[in-house]
């Protein structure tokens, strides 16, 4: 693939760009990134809002190896709730804030796909 | 003795590396691969391919009988195990011999002696080599363990005997809190591993990881090809390695090198191996011996001007290598960065999928070891390392500069890589000064790195590119002048 040579303010910048599965991957000025237009960004934001702020979402496809909480348990910010394993490595999923576990949607040993909501956490109000 | 055909019991970039060495020696290759690994570079390059089982490693790459059967069916005379998988498995080496195959590596006996941590430490003790002080006995009484910890000298680390990795470890800082922490470690060990037994070991909190490349030739003599430093690690996984270490004096280098050769020679070691040490406060401790080729072997090859894989094969053919020993003097500095398929902005979670454009910017003193091209799939079945970038330059600082440049020109689309993370490490003062320790990543990079923002100009350029990329404006593509300077990239 030949790079695009884009001129801006009298300077030429070399850009590699490729569409893969609806996303546009770009490389310029020594960095690789995925381009999202305004509409896509809005969609992403909306998508985020529909999931609850405290929910734990699988950040990658992998196996659930440990669930340390069950529904009804309270969690504090930074507390480990789920442990996942992928590519021979372990990843811990921590709670974003203080809250109460409403539902656990996964089982130990289960192979989960990227983006699955593993644990539904309802935020509790901060007390001082 | 001439080997005409070698079976490769591995995958990815190391399989490619072995194929290249075989091609140079005029040896045919048989790739022993899993069902899913048919769209890989090694598969496309090998002369013969034999599928040895499904994707799951235990049924293919770790299955001794399947590998032996595959090698025999492929009419190979020898097996190269690469690294990882069965490379340090003495039973596999023995099974090769029993099947009439040459195992390219040390003898099963040498692998057992040095590869097993307990027997390796026993041998080291007998030879008077320094080990990390500790207690690994059966007496688990709290008061006894506290006394042992005191003898070792604080800080001391308590580890679950049945454990692995960092789980259940506790650091004892003083006598006062020691008994409570040991008790708690025993409880944790019981619940996590089913046994309350714990070990004590001196806690090296600012140690460097230094290792020596050793090589045992057909005459039984073991030489070393100097050292590498691999202190930049995350969860005991190396990320950046270099040769030679910027941290040791010539005197210490001589001493550690001699220690490395001594233990290998006393185990009648043959072929390539690595003796790993921890270094803290000017004192070194033997960590373990890896009885195989190492992932980071290219940095040694770059500064020593040798080909370790070729040397392994020639040694297996009973040929002498590294004859002019006095000529093996190092030159310059070499650095290797491991490219992992992971998202650095999400703390390194694995990234899988089909590779889009892949460009490795070749040039003087640059070397790329990779196992996948555009269109190949990165799956979650195997290790996330997809490539290694190696540079050489006259000085360490120039090598760092070159690496940063090379990484900035490297392009991988389709899966995320740790390249932005590597760039931050390469710019960190501790790395530049060469003062990094094995806790470097924990200390400075415990949080995911921050995602960068495009500036106004970059946004504008992006928009322009997107418009050119859109199919309805395809025609405007023809007005773009093609760069005369882009001939370096590989059409993958």
């Amino acid at each position: 693939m030949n790079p695009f040579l884009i001129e801006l303010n009298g300077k030429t910048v070399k850009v590699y760009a490729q569409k893969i599965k609806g996303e546009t991957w770009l490389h310029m000025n020594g960095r690789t990134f995925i381009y999202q237009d305004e509409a896509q960004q809005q969609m992403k934001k909306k998508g985020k809002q529909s999931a609850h702020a405290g929910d734990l979402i699988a950040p990658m496809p992998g196996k659930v190896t440990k669930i340390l909480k069950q529904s009804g348990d309270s969690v504090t910010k930074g507390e480990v709730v789920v442990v996942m394993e992928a590519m021979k490595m372990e990843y811990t999923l921590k709670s974003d804030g203080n809250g109460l576990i409403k539902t656990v949607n996964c089982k130990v040993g289960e192979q989960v796909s990227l983006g699955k909501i593993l644990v539904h956490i309802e935020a509790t109000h901060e007390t001082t | 003795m001439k080997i005409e055909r070698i079976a490769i019991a591995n995958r990815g970039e190391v399989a490619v590396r072995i194929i290249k060495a075989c091609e140079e020696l005029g040896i045919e290759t048989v790739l022993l691969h899993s069902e899913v690994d048919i769209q890989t570079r090694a598969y496309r390059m090998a002369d013969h391919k034999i599928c040895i089982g499904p994707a799951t490693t235990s049924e293919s790459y770790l299955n001794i009988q399947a590998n032996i059967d595959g090698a025999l069916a492929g009419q190979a005379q020898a097996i190269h195990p690469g690294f990882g998988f069965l490379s340090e498995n003495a039973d596999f080496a023995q099974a090769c011999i029993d099947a009439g195959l040459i195992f390219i590596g040390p003898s099963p006996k040498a692998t057992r002696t040095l590869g097993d941590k307990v027997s390796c430490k026993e041998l080291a003790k007998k030879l008077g080599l320094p080990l990390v002080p500790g207690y690994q006995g059966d007496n688990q009484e709290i008061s006894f363990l506290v006394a042992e910890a005191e003898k070792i000298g604080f800080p001391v680390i308590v580890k679950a005997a049945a454990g692995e990795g960092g789980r259940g470890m506790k650091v004892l800082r003083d006598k006062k809190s020691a008994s409570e922490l040991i008790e708690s470690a025993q409880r944790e060990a019981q619940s996590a591993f089913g046994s309350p037994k714990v070990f004590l070991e001196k806690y090296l909190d600012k140690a460097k990881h230094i290792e020596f490349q050793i090589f045992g030739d057909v005459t039984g003599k073991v030489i070393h090809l100097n050292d590498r430093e691999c202190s930049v690690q995350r969860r005991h996984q190396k990320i950046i390695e270099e040769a030679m270490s910027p941290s040791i004096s010539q005197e210490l280098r001589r001493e550690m090198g001699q220690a490395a050769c001594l233990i290998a020679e006393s185990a009648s070691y043959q072929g390539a191996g690595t003796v790993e040490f921890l270094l803290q406060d000017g004192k070194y401790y033997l960590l373990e011996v890896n009885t195989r080729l190492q992932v980071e072997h290219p940095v040694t090859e770059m500064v020593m001007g040798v080909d370790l894989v070729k040397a392994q094969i020639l040694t297996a053919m009973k040929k002498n290598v590294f004859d002019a020993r006095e000529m093996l003097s190092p030159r310059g500095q070499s650095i290797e960065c491991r490219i992992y398929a992971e998202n650095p902005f999400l703390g390194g979670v694995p990234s899988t999928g089909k590779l889009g454009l892949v460009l490795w910017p070749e040039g003087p003193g640059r070397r790329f070891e990779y196992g996948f091209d555009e269109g190949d799939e990165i799956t979650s079945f195997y290790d996330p390392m997809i490539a290694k970038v190696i540079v050489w330059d006259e000085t360490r600082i120039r090598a760092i500069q070159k690496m940063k440049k090379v990484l900035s020109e490297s392009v991988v689309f389709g899966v995320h890589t740790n390249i932005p993370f590597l760039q931050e490490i390469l710019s960190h003062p501790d790395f530049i000064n060469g003062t990094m320790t094995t806790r470097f990543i924990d200390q400075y990079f415990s949080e995911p790195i921050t995602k960068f923002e495009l500036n106004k100009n970059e946004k504008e350029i992006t928009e322009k590119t997107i418009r050119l990329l859109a199919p309805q404006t395809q025609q405007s593509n023809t007005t773009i002048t093609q760069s005369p300077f882009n001939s370096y990239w590989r059409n993958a």
Side-chain angles (χ1 to χ4, degrees), chain B residues 88-103:
Chain B
E88 289 182 283
N89 189 315
D91 293 338
F92 181 54
Q94 188 59 53
C96 288
I97 296 167
D98 294 345
L101 294 160
I102 298 167
F103 176 78

Side-chain angles (χ1 to χ4, degrees), chain A residues 80-84 90-94:
Chain A
V80 177
V81 182
V82 174
V83 182
M84 279 183 70
E90 233 184 53
Y91 295 88
T92 53
L93 307 182
K94 296 171 186 159

